[in-house]
Amino acid sequence: MPPADGIRPTDGVRPADGARPEDRTGGPLVVLVDSDYADTPYDKWSAEAGIRPSLLVSARRYPQYRHIPGARSFDAYATGGEVERAVLALRPRTVVARSEADVLRAARLRELVGADGQDFAGALAFRDKVLMKSLLREQGVRVPEFAPVRLVVDLLAFLREHPYPVVVKPAFGSGSTGTRVLRDDADLAELLAAGLPEHAQAEEFVDGDMYVVDGLVVDGRPRAVFVSRYLNDCLSYRSGAHLGSVQLTRDDPLVDRLAGYARRVLDALPTPACTTFHLEVFRTPGDDLVLCEVASRTGGALTGAAVRAASGLDLDEEWFLAQVEGAAHRVREVTGAAPGRSAGWVVFYPEAGTLAALPADPPPYVVEQRLRGRVGIRYEGGEKSGVYLAGYVVTGRDAAEVEQRVGELAAWYGTSVEWTR
């Protein structure tokens, strides 16, 4: 990991003005924005720090940020190159990027302008699932058997050694997009007819419950760590089922165990000195831990909102302020939600049809709701795990009560949402 006394500068890359990265003190703070304002109210956080960042916002999110002076909208945010040109022209001292799709380009931009933060090699270790698993296996962390798949024959060769079920996914994917579970030859034929994902990888199917560790690294070590368990799985969007998660309180022995496991994984990777992280791990019926994957960004859906409801700590806000304030920012250290105060989230996906009505007035244990669906719009079913119609944050005394309430909420939603087919 980078040294604990600060964020590592670029490795041998000179900034555009010829000055050494460690000599640069000027330049604006640039934020690449492709997240909901409810998750990242950068204007409020910036006011706390006494700064005014330059916000470069995707066109689809811009309506939520148009009230912020200087926020700029980009139609081809992900592919047009205008965001990159804007950053290079601004020559910032810091580039902040929360969304996973922005991780690699933000890292490369930092190297080009000599800005603080995660470098490209470190970012790649968290985005390329083949590289990630290779690095972790070298350090003795158990991962599924896997192989890169560049040609059809690579997948066929993997299947000769590893019987069904087998998972095929994009090595750079997010939100479970493009992930397929092959259970027999018919599934294989369907995948091959559709075409392999770009930069695909194959891995053995791991039977077990999926646990998640979310947290914040500051000055090179995890300061805030939270453990949760998925309700259903990340491919629920394809079947129309809901996806949920419940926070474990720190009196659960799994919290300390999984927090320690996350530290081991982060130590084995080139983890930035300042980052949020989102780690998914299988707990098998034999009580073994097998890594699914880990990302150097905040968890999706309503992960941050559920952590905030359970603990009062906002991972994204603390991460943002730690980047812009440096050593002056102090983070409250915490592991797991406090006993007696759990929370969770649940999201519901589009069906195939026209949305006629979304439910209103959820039960009182719902402390936050996000309604993204638009009545009168036709949908074709779920796209990815992070694209949902309605999401809710649920509170309870412990994980069991939250899970029970999520089930009640799912029943309430199912009888209240209306579709025209």
Side-chain angles (χ1 to χ4, degrees), residues 2-245:
D5 58 350
I7 298 176
R8 182 175 60 193
T10 59
D11 295 330
V13 179
R14 299 294 288 257
D17 60 356
R20 292 178 302 170
E22 59 267 31
D23 289 341
R24 289 197 60 167
T25 57
L29 165 67
V30 169
V31 185
L32 308 187
V33 185
D34 193 22
S35 54
D36 285 337
Y37 180 80
D39 290 316
T40 52
Y42 288 116
D43 56 335
K44 296 179 180 179
W45 299 344
S46 299
E48 294 177 26
I51 58 174
R52 178 178 288 184
S54 295
L55 302 186
L56 311 183
V57 190
S58 68
R60 66 172 180 154
R61 309 284 192 185
Y62 181 72
Q64 303 177 47
Y65 294 87
R66 67 168 67 247
H67 66 284
I68 301 177
R72 297 167 59 184
S73 176
F74 293 82
D75 290 331
Y77 175 86
T79 59
E82 294 305 310
V83 170
E84 288 83 350
R85 290 183 181 183
V87 174
L88 293 175
L90 289 166
R91 295 158 64 185
R93 70 181 185 277
T94 304
V95 178
V96 173
R98 175 187 184 273
S99 300
E100 186 159 21
D102 288 331
V103 167
L104 286 177
R105 70 169 171 177
R108 183 65 179 126
L109 285 166
R110 292 187 192 104
E111 292 184 337
L112 288 174
V113 300
D116 298 334
Q118 185 179 40
D119 62 16
F120 188 81
L124 196 64
F126 283 88
R127 286 292 286 126
D128 182 345
K129 296 175 178 60
V130 173
L131 175 61
M132 174 197 305
K133 292 183 174 69
S134 298
L135 293 172
L136 290 172
R137 185 165 59 184
E138 290 173 1
Q139 296 297 316
V141 176
R142 183 177 172 187
V143 298
E145 290 297 320
F146 68 96
V149 175
R150 301 295 178 259
L151 303 167
V152 170
V153 68
D154 297 332
L155 177 56
L156 299 180
F158 188 82
L159 285 167
R160 293 182 67 178
E161 302 295 329
H162 305 280
Y164 296 117
V166 163
V167 180
V168 178
K169 63 174 72 171
F172 291 85
S174 64
S176 301
T177 304
T179 298
R180 300 284 294 268
V181 179
L182 309 183
R183 301 186 182 277
D184 52 34
D185 286 343
D187 287 343
L188 173 63
E190 183 179 338
L191 171 65
L192 297 182
L196 290 171
E198 187 176 8
H199 300 297
Q201 66 143 10
E203 63 182 41
E204 66 173 323
F205 181 87
V206 179
D207 184 25
D209 294 327
M210 177 79 81
Y211 286 84
V212 182
V213 187
D214 292 285
L216 172 67
V217 173
V218 177
D219 290 336
R221 65 186 183 89
R223 301 298 183 93
V225 180
F226 297 90
V227 176
S228 58
R229 174 171 50 84
Y230 276 137
L231 308 175
N232 290 338
D233 64 57
C234 291
L235 297 179
S236 299
Y237 71 93
R238 288 186 178 163
S239 63
H242 63 274
L243 174 64
S245 173

Side-chain angles (χ1 to χ4, degrees), residues 324-371:
V324 302
E325 295 181 341
H329 185 69
R330 295 289 179 262
V331 179
R332 174 165 61 94
E333 300 201 20
V334 59
T335 300
R341 186 181 177 183
S342 182
W345 55 264
V346 59
V347 295
F348 300 94
Y349 298 106
E351 299 181 23
T354 301
L355 182 63
L358 276 173
D361 301 322
Y365 48 73
V366 171
V367 296
E368 185 173 345
Q369 71 171 349
R370 306 270 184 94
L371 302 180

